[in-house]
Amino acid sequence: MKNDLLIRDLTSADLARGAPLLAQLGYPVDTSVLEERFEDFIAKGERAIVAERDAEILGLLTLHVTNVLHRAGAVGRITLLVVDEAVQGQGVGRSLMDEAERRLWSDGCVLIEVTSNMKRTDAHAFYEKLGYEKSSFRFGKTRPATTS
């Protein structure tokens, strides 16, 4: 099943078909809002790729390059990977990860990190199967609501 996948850059034309994947991951968003976010995302030089089969978007991945002072090269970061629940276990996620790694190594990254919510233990097992190791903690802080 892996062979007939097309891995390519996400385009604005894909957003309506990609929004349900974000909802499956727990991030529901209206397509109009996603279109605004995508414009800003692309304007800042960020990248996303999709896995497509028969004109259907089956998976989505975002990848970023961060230049840091403390390493001999840039750090690649995968901040989102979602595969349609109906096709999980068919190589879609692995194909997206393979392409992301190829692109990030080609960009000169010396390390690739994957961010994943602590509760996504199935995802952690998947990343470990691909050779990723738990190497650090991330701490997050949500912007406080403003009061009028």
Side-chain angles (χ1 to χ4, degrees), residues 9-21:
D9 291 329
L10 174 73
T11 68
S12 58
D14 300 318
L15 298 176
R17 295 180 296 154
L21 292 175

Side-chain angles (χ1 to χ4, degrees), residues 2-128:
K2 211 169 139 175
N3 309 8
D4 58 347
L5 277 179
L6 172 64
I7 307 296
R8 61 171 178 77
D9 291 329
L10 174 73
T11 68
S12 58
D14 300 318
L15 298 176
R17 295 180 296 154
L21 292 175
L22 295 176
Q24 283 184 23
L25 197 59
Y27 301 104
V29 61
D30 290 334
T31 302
S32 61
V33 172
L34 189 56
E35 288 169 353
E36 290 175 22
R37 289 181 190 170
F38 183 69
E39 266 185 47
D40 188 50
F41 184 81
I42 294 301
K44 291 181 177 170
E46 301 295 353
R47 297 179 292 169
I49 56 177
V50 294
E52 179 182 55
R53 180 185 297 134
D54 299 326
E56 185 178 351
I57 302 298
L58 303 178
L60 171 63
L61 180 148
T62 57
L63 60 152
H64 314 271
V65 174
T66 302
N67 293 301
V68 296
L69 291 175
H70 63 284
R71 295 199 185 274
V75 174
R77 186 167 289 144
I78 296 166
T79 57
L80 173 107
L81 171 60
V82 59
V83 173
D84 190 312
E85 294 164 348
V87 297
Q88 288 179 359
Q90 297 180 20
V92 175
R94 179 178 288 274
S95 294
L96 283 165
M97 289 294 292
D98 288 348
E99 178 62 13
E101 288 179 1
R102 186 193 67 71
R103 291 180 183 210
L104 292 169
W105 295 138
S106 177
D107 287 341
C109 293
V110 297
L111 171 70
I112 297 175
E113 301 174 335
V114 178
T115 62
S116 181
N117 190 297
M118 291 174 58
K119 67 182 177 188
R120 300 187 194 285
T121 55
D122 289 348
H124 303 167
F126 170 73
Y127 297 128
E128 288 173 341

Side-chain angles (χ1 to χ4, degrees), residues 121-136:
T121 55
D122 289 348
H124 303 167
F126 170 73
Y127 297 128
E128 288 173 341
K129 186 176 174 183
L130 297 181
Y132 288 84
E133 299 174 349
K134 293 177 186 170
S135 61
S136 61

